[in-house]
Short mmCIF file of all heavy atoms in Angstrom, two decimals:
data_model
loop_
_atom_site.label_atom_id
_atom_site.label_comp_id
_atom_site.label_asym_id
_atom_site.label_seq_id
_atom_site.Cartn_x
_atom_site.Cartn_y
_atom_site.Cartn_z
N PRO W 172 120.79 116.31 297.33
CA PRO W 172 121.10 117.74 297.21
C PRO W 172 120.01 118.62 297.80
O PRO W 172 118.84 118.24 297.88
CB PRO W 172 121.20 117.95 295.68
CG PRO W 172 121.43 116.58 295.12
CD PRO W 172 120.73 115.63 296.02
N LEU W 173 120.41 119.80 298.21
CA LEU W 173 119.46 120.79 298.69
C LEU W 173 118.63 121.30 297.51
O LEU W 173 119.18 121.80 296.52
CB LEU W 173 120.19 121.96 299.36
CG LEU W 173 119.33 123.10 299.88
CD1 LEU W 173 118.44 122.61 301.03
CD2 LEU W 173 120.21 124.26 300.34
N LEU W 174 117.32 121.18 297.62
CA LEU W 174 116.42 121.63 296.55
C LEU W 174 115.95 123.06 296.76
O LEU W 174 115.84 123.83 295.80
CB LEU W 174 115.19 120.72 296.48
CG LEU W 174 115.38 119.31 295.95
CD1 LEU W 174 114.07 118.55 296.07
CD2 LEU W 174 115.86 119.34 294.51
N LEU W 175 115.64 123.41 298.01
CA LEU W 175 114.95 124.67 298.24
C LEU W 175 115.31 125.23 299.61
O LEU W 175 115.39 124.50 300.60
CB LEU W 175 113.42 124.43 298.20
CG LEU W 175 112.54 125.66 298.35
CD1 LEU W 175 112.61 126.54 297.10
CD2 LEU W 175 111.09 125.25 298.62
N THR W 176 115.56 126.55 299.65
CA THR W 176 115.66 127.30 300.89
C THR W 176 114.43 128.19 300.98
O THR W 176 114.21 129.03 300.11
CB THR W 176 116.94 128.16 300.92
OG1 THR W 176 118.09 127.31 300.81
CG2 THR W 176 117.03 128.95 302.22
N ASP W 177 113.62 127.97 302.00
CA ASP W 177 112.35 128.69 302.13
C ASP W 177 112.34 129.44 303.46
O ASP W 177 112.38 128.83 304.53
CB ASP W 177 111.18 127.69 302.07
CG ASP W 177 109.82 128.37 302.09
OD1 ASP W 177 109.72 129.48 301.54
OD2 ASP W 177 108.87 127.78 302.63
N TRP W 178 112.32 130.78 303.38
CA TRP W 178 112.25 131.58 304.60
C TRP W 178 110.81 131.61 305.10
O TRP W 178 109.87 131.84 304.33
CB TRP W 178 112.73 133.00 304.33
CG TRP W 178 112.62 133.88 305.54
CD1 TRP W 178 113.37 133.81 306.68
CD2 TRP W 178 111.69 134.95 305.75
NE1 TRP W 178 112.98 134.78 307.57
CE2 TRP W 178 111.95 135.50 307.03
CE3 TRP W 178 110.68 135.50 304.96
CZ2 TRP W 178 111.22 136.56 307.54
CZ3 TRP W 178 109.95 136.58 305.47
CH2 TRP W 178 110.22 137.09 306.74
N LEU W 179 110.65 131.37 306.41
CA LEU W 179 109.33 131.33 307.02
C LEU W 179 109.17 132.54 307.92
O LEU W 179 109.91 132.68 308.91
CB LEU W 179 109.16 130.05 307.85
CG LEU W 179 109.59 128.74 307.16
CD1 LEU W 179 109.49 127.58 308.12
CD2 LEU W 179 108.74 128.50 305.93
N PRO W 180 108.27 133.46 307.63
CA PRO W 180 108.11 134.65 308.47
C PRO W 180 107.52 134.28 309.83
O PRO W 180 107.03 133.17 310.03
CB PRO W 180 107.13 135.50 307.66
CG PRO W 180 106.36 134.53 306.84
CD PRO W 180 107.32 133.42 306.51
N PRO W 181 107.60 135.20 310.81
CA PRO W 181 106.98 134.93 312.12
C PRO W 181 105.50 134.58 311.95
O PRO W 181 104.79 135.18 311.14
CB PRO W 181 107.14 136.27 312.86
CG PRO W 181 108.29 136.93 312.19
CD PRO W 181 108.23 136.52 310.75
N TRP W 182 105.06 133.60 312.73
CA TRP W 182 103.69 133.11 312.55
C TRP W 182 103.22 132.38 313.80
O TRP W 182 103.95 131.52 314.33
CB TRP W 182 103.64 132.15 311.36
CG TRP W 182 102.31 131.51 311.11
CD1 TRP W 182 101.22 132.05 310.48
CD2 TRP W 182 101.89 130.19 311.52
NE1 TRP W 182 100.18 131.17 310.46
CE2 TRP W 182 100.56 130.02 311.08
CE3 TRP W 182 102.52 129.16 312.20
CZ2 TRP W 182 99.84 128.84 311.32
CZ3 TRP W 182 101.82 127.98 312.44
CH2 TRP W 182 100.49 127.83 311.99
N GLY W 183 102.04 132.74 314.29
CA GLY W 183 101.38 132.00 315.36
C GLY W 183 102.20 131.81 316.62
O GLY W 183 102.12 130.77 317.26
N GLY W 184 103.01 132.80 317.00
CA GLY W 184 103.84 132.69 318.19
C GLY W 184 105.24 132.19 317.93
O GLY W 184 106.09 132.19 318.83
N TRP W 185 105.52 131.76 316.69
CA TRP W 185 106.86 131.32 316.31
C TRP W 185 107.66 132.50 315.76
O TRP W 185 107.12 133.34 315.06
CB TRP W 185 106.80 130.25 315.22
CG TRP W 185 106.30 128.92 315.65
CD1 TRP W 185 105.02 128.47 315.62
CD2 TRP W 185 107.08 127.83 316.17
NE1 TRP W 185 104.94 127.19 316.07
CE2 TRP W 185 106.20 126.77 316.43
CE3 TRP W 185 108.44 127.67 316.44
CZ2 TRP W 185 106.62 125.56 316.95
CZ3 TRP W 185 108.86 126.46 316.96
CH2 TRP W 185 107.97 125.42 317.21
N ASP W 186 108.97 132.53 316.07
CA ASP W 186 109.86 133.46 315.39
C ASP W 186 110.08 132.98 313.96
O ASP W 186 109.68 131.87 313.60
CB ASP W 186 111.21 133.53 316.11
CG ASP W 186 111.09 134.23 317.46
OD1 ASP W 186 110.14 135.00 317.65
OD2 ASP W 186 111.97 133.99 318.32
N ASP W 187 110.73 133.80 313.16
CA ASP W 187 111.00 133.39 311.78
C ASP W 187 112.00 132.24 311.76
O ASP W 187 112.70 131.96 312.74
CB ASP W 187 111.47 134.58 310.94
CG ASP W 187 112.88 135.03 311.27
OD1 ASP W 187 113.29 134.92 312.45
OD2 ASP W 187 113.60 135.49 310.37
N ALA W 188 112.07 131.55 310.64
CA ALA W 188 112.93 130.37 310.52
C ALA W 188 113.30 130.19 309.06
O ALA W 188 112.73 130.82 308.16
CB ALA W 188 112.21 129.12 311.04
N VAL W 189 114.26 129.32 308.83
CA VAL W 189 114.67 128.96 307.48
C VAL W 189 114.38 127.47 307.29
O VAL W 189 114.86 126.63 308.06
CB VAL W 189 116.17 129.24 307.25
CG1 VAL W 189 116.60 128.73 305.88
CG2 VAL W 189 116.45 130.74 307.36
N GLY W 190 113.58 127.17 306.28
CA GLY W 190 113.29 125.77 305.93
C GLY W 190 114.20 125.32 304.80
O GLY W 190 114.32 126.01 303.78
N LEU W 191 114.84 124.19 304.98
CA LEU W 191 115.76 123.63 303.98
C LEU W 191 115.20 122.29 303.52
O LEU W 191 115.07 121.35 304.31
CB LEU W 191 117.15 123.43 304.59
CG LEU W 191 117.80 124.69 305.18
CD1 LEU W 191 119.04 124.35 305.99
CD2 LEU W 191 118.14 125.68 304.08
N VAL W 192 114.83 122.22 302.25
CA VAL W 192 114.21 121.01 301.70
C VAL W 192 115.24 120.27 300.86
O VAL W 192 115.73 120.79 299.85
CB VAL W 192 112.97 121.34 300.85
CG1 VAL W 192 112.31 120.05 300.37
CG2 VAL W 192 111.97 122.18 301.66
N PHE W 193 115.56 119.05 301.28
CA PHE W 193 116.53 118.21 300.58
C PHE W 193 115.81 117.19 299.71
O PHE W 193 114.69 116.79 299.98
CB PHE W 193 117.44 117.49 301.59
CG PHE W 193 118.35 118.39 302.36
CD1 PHE W 193 117.93 118.97 303.55
CD2 PHE W 193 119.62 118.69 301.88
CE1 PHE W 193 118.78 119.81 304.27
CE2 PHE W 193 120.46 119.53 302.58
CZ PHE W 193 120.04 120.10 303.78
N ASP W 194 116.50 116.76 298.66
CA ASP W 194 115.96 115.75 297.76
C ASP W 194 116.11 114.37 298.39
O ASP W 194 117.22 113.92 298.67
CB ASP W 194 116.71 115.82 296.42
CG ASP W 194 116.09 114.93 295.35
OD1 ASP W 194 115.09 114.24 295.65
OD2 ASP W 194 116.60 114.93 294.22
N GLY W 195 114.98 113.71 298.60
CA GLY W 195 115.01 112.34 299.14
C GLY W 195 114.85 111.29 298.06
O GLY W 195 114.77 110.10 298.36
N GLY W 196 114.78 111.73 296.78
CA GLY W 196 114.68 110.79 295.69
C GLY W 196 113.32 110.14 295.59
O GLY W 196 112.33 110.64 296.12
N VAL W 197 113.28 109.01 294.89
CA VAL W 197 112.03 108.26 294.72
C VAL W 197 112.14 106.93 295.44
O VAL W 197 113.19 106.30 295.45
CB VAL W 197 111.71 108.05 293.22
CG1 VAL W 197 111.44 109.38 292.55
CG2 VAL W 197 112.85 107.32 292.51
N LEU W 198 111.04 106.51 296.06
CA LEU W 198 110.99 105.25 296.78
C LEU W 198 109.74 104.49 296.37
O LEU W 198 108.71 105.12 296.04
CB LEU W 198 110.96 105.48 298.30
CG LEU W 198 112.18 106.14 298.94
CD1 LEU W 198 111.92 106.38 300.42
CD2 LEU W 198 113.42 105.27 298.76
N PRO W 199 109.78 103.17 296.39
CA PRO W 199 108.56 102.41 296.09
C PRO W 199 107.45 102.74 297.08
O PRO W 199 107.71 103.01 298.25
CB PRO W 199 109.02 100.95 296.24
CG PRO W 199 110.50 100.99 296.16
CD PRO W 199 110.93 102.31 296.69
N GLY W 200 106.22 102.73 296.59
CA GLY W 200 105.10 102.97 297.48
C GLY W 200 105.05 102.01 298.64
O GLY W 200 104.58 102.35 299.74
N SER W 201 105.56 100.80 298.44
CA SER W 201 105.56 99.78 299.50
C SER W 201 106.50 100.13 300.66
O SER W 201 106.45 99.48 301.71
CB SER W 201 105.96 98.43 298.92
OG SER W 201 107.27 98.51 298.34
N THR W 202 107.35 101.14 300.48
CA THR W 202 108.26 101.55 301.55
C THR W 202 107.50 101.88 302.83
O THR W 202 107.96 101.60 303.94
CB THR W 202 109.09 102.78 301.12
OG1 THR W 202 109.84 102.45 299.96
CG2 THR W 202 110.02 103.24 302.22
N LEU W 203 106.31 102.45 302.68
CA LEU W 203 105.55 102.85 303.86
C LEU W 203 105.05 101.65 304.66
O LEU W 203 104.72 101.79 305.84
CB LEU W 203 104.37 103.73 303.45
CG LEU W 203 104.72 105.04 302.73
CD1 LEU W 203 103.49 105.92 302.58
CD2 LEU W 203 105.83 105.80 303.46
N ASP W 204 105.04 100.48 304.04
CA ASP W 204 104.61 99.28 304.77
C ASP W 204 105.58 98.93 305.89
O ASP W 204 105.19 98.27 306.87
CB ASP W 204 104.47 98.09 303.82
CG ASP W 204 103.38 98.30 302.79
OD1 ASP W 204 102.48 99.14 303.05
OD2 ASP W 204 103.43 97.65 301.72
N ARG W 205 106.84 99.32 305.75
CA ARG W 205 107.83 98.99 306.78
C ARG W 205 108.18 100.20 307.66
O ARG W 205 109.10 100.14 308.47
CB ARG W 205 109.10 98.41 306.16
CG ARG W 205 109.74 99.23 305.07
CD ARG W 205 110.91 98.48 304.43
NE ARG W 205 111.50 99.20 303.31
CZ ARG W 205 112.43 100.15 303.42
NH1 ARG W 205 112.89 100.46 304.62
NH2 ARG W 205 112.90 100.76 302.36
N ALA W 206 107.44 101.29 307.49
CA ALA W 206 107.67 102.46 308.34
C ALA W 206 107.20 102.15 309.77
O ALA W 206 106.17 101.52 309.98
CB ALA W 206 106.92 103.67 307.80
N VAL W 207 107.99 102.58 310.73
CA VAL W 207 107.66 102.43 312.15
C VAL W 207 107.47 103.85 312.70
O VAL W 207 108.45 104.58 312.90
CB VAL W 207 108.76 101.69 312.93
CG1 VAL W 207 108.38 101.57 314.40
CG2 VAL W 207 109.02 100.33 312.32
N LEU W 208 106.23 104.24 312.93
CA LEU W 208 105.93 105.62 313.30
C LEU W 208 106.19 105.87 314.78
O LEU W 208 105.82 105.06 315.63
CB LEU W 208 104.47 105.94 312.97
CG LEU W 208 104.00 105.63 311.54
CD1 LEU W 208 102.58 106.18 311.33
CD2 LEU W 208 104.95 106.19 310.51
N GLU W 209 106.83 107.00 315.06
CA GLU W 209 107.01 107.44 316.44
C GLU W 209 105.65 107.99 316.93
O GLU W 209 105.21 109.05 316.49
CB GLU W 209 108.09 108.53 316.49
CG GLU W 209 108.18 109.33 317.77
CD GLU W 209 108.26 108.46 319.02
OE1 GLU W 209 109.27 107.74 319.18
OE2 GLU W 209 107.30 108.51 319.81
N PRO W 210 105.00 107.29 317.87
CA PRO W 210 103.60 107.64 318.21
C PRO W 210 103.45 109.01 318.85
O PRO W 210 102.37 109.60 318.78
CB PRO W 210 103.18 106.52 319.16
CG PRO W 210 104.46 105.97 319.71
CD PRO W 210 105.46 106.10 318.62
N ARG W 211 104.49 109.54 319.46
CA ARG W 211 104.38 110.86 320.08
C ARG W 211 104.42 111.98 319.05
O ARG W 211 104.05 113.12 319.35
CB ARG W 211 105.50 111.06 321.10
CG ARG W 211 105.41 110.18 322.34
CD ARG W 211 106.65 110.28 323.18
NE ARG W 211 107.83 109.81 322.44
CZ ARG W 211 109.05 109.78 322.94
NH1 ARG W 211 109.29 110.22 324.18
NH2 ARG W 211 110.08 109.33 322.22
N GLU W 212 104.88 111.65 317.83
CA GLU W 212 105.07 112.69 316.81
C GLU W 212 104.19 112.50 315.57
O GLU W 212 103.68 113.47 315.01
CB GLU W 212 106.54 112.69 316.36
CG GLU W 212 107.54 113.00 317.46
CD GLU W 212 107.78 114.47 317.66
OE1 GLU W 212 107.30 115.26 316.83
OE2 GLU W 212 108.42 114.85 318.65
N ILE W 213 104.03 111.23 315.14
CA ILE W 213 103.43 110.95 313.83
C ILE W 213 102.18 110.09 313.98
O ILE W 213 102.22 109.01 314.60
CB ILE W 213 104.44 110.22 312.91
CG1 ILE W 213 105.77 110.96 312.86
CG2 ILE W 213 103.85 110.06 311.51
CD1 ILE W 213 105.71 112.34 312.24
N ARG W 214 101.07 110.57 313.40
CA ARG W 214 99.84 109.77 313.39
C ARG W 214 99.78 108.86 312.17
O ARG W 214 99.33 107.72 312.25
CB ARG W 214 98.61 110.69 313.36
CG ARG W 214 98.29 111.39 314.66
CD ARG W 214 96.85 111.90 314.65
NE ARG W 214 96.54 112.58 315.90
CZ ARG W 214 96.60 113.88 316.09
NH1 ARG W 214 96.97 114.67 315.09
NH2 ARG W 214 96.30 114.42 317.24
N ALA W 215 100.20 109.40 311.04
CA ALA W 215 100.08 108.63 309.79
C ALA W 215 101.03 109.21 308.76
O ALA W 215 101.49 110.35 308.88
CB ALA W 215 98.65 108.68 309.27
N VAL W 216 101.34 108.41 307.73
CA VAL W 216 102.13 108.88 306.60
C VAL W 216 101.44 108.42 305.33
O VAL W 216 100.75 107.40 305.31
CB VAL W 216 103.58 108.35 306.63
CG1 VAL W 216 104.36 108.97 307.77
CG2 VAL W 216 103.62 106.82 306.71
N ALA W 217 101.63 109.18 304.25
CA ALA W 217 101.02 108.80 302.98
C ALA W 217 101.73 109.54 301.85
O ALA W 217 102.24 110.66 302.04
CB ALA W 217 99.54 109.15 302.98
N PHE W 218 101.77 108.89 300.68
CA PHE W 218 102.17 109.58 299.47
C PHE W 218 100.95 110.33 298.95
O PHE W 218 99.87 109.73 298.78
CB PHE W 218 102.68 108.59 298.42
CG PHE W 218 104.09 108.13 298.67
CD1 PHE W 218 104.36 106.81 299.03
CD2 PHE W 218 105.16 109.00 298.52
CE1 PHE W 218 105.66 106.39 299.26
CE2 PHE W 218 106.47 108.58 298.72
CZ PHE W 218 106.72 107.28 299.10
#
Side-chain angles (χ1 to χ4, degrees):
L173 179 66
L174 289 176
L175 183 70
T176 300
D177 185 33
W178 177 71
L179 312 175
W182 176 80
W185 288 92
D186 290 337
D187 72 328
V189 175
L191 303 169
V192 183
F193 293 89
D194 188 359
V197 295
L198 296 176
S201 60
T202 300
L203 300 189
D204 295 338
R205 53 186 176 85
V207 179
L208 308 187
E209 166 51 65
R211 292 171 298 180
E212 299 274 351
I213 309 295
R214 286 198 180 96
V216 291
F218 281 112

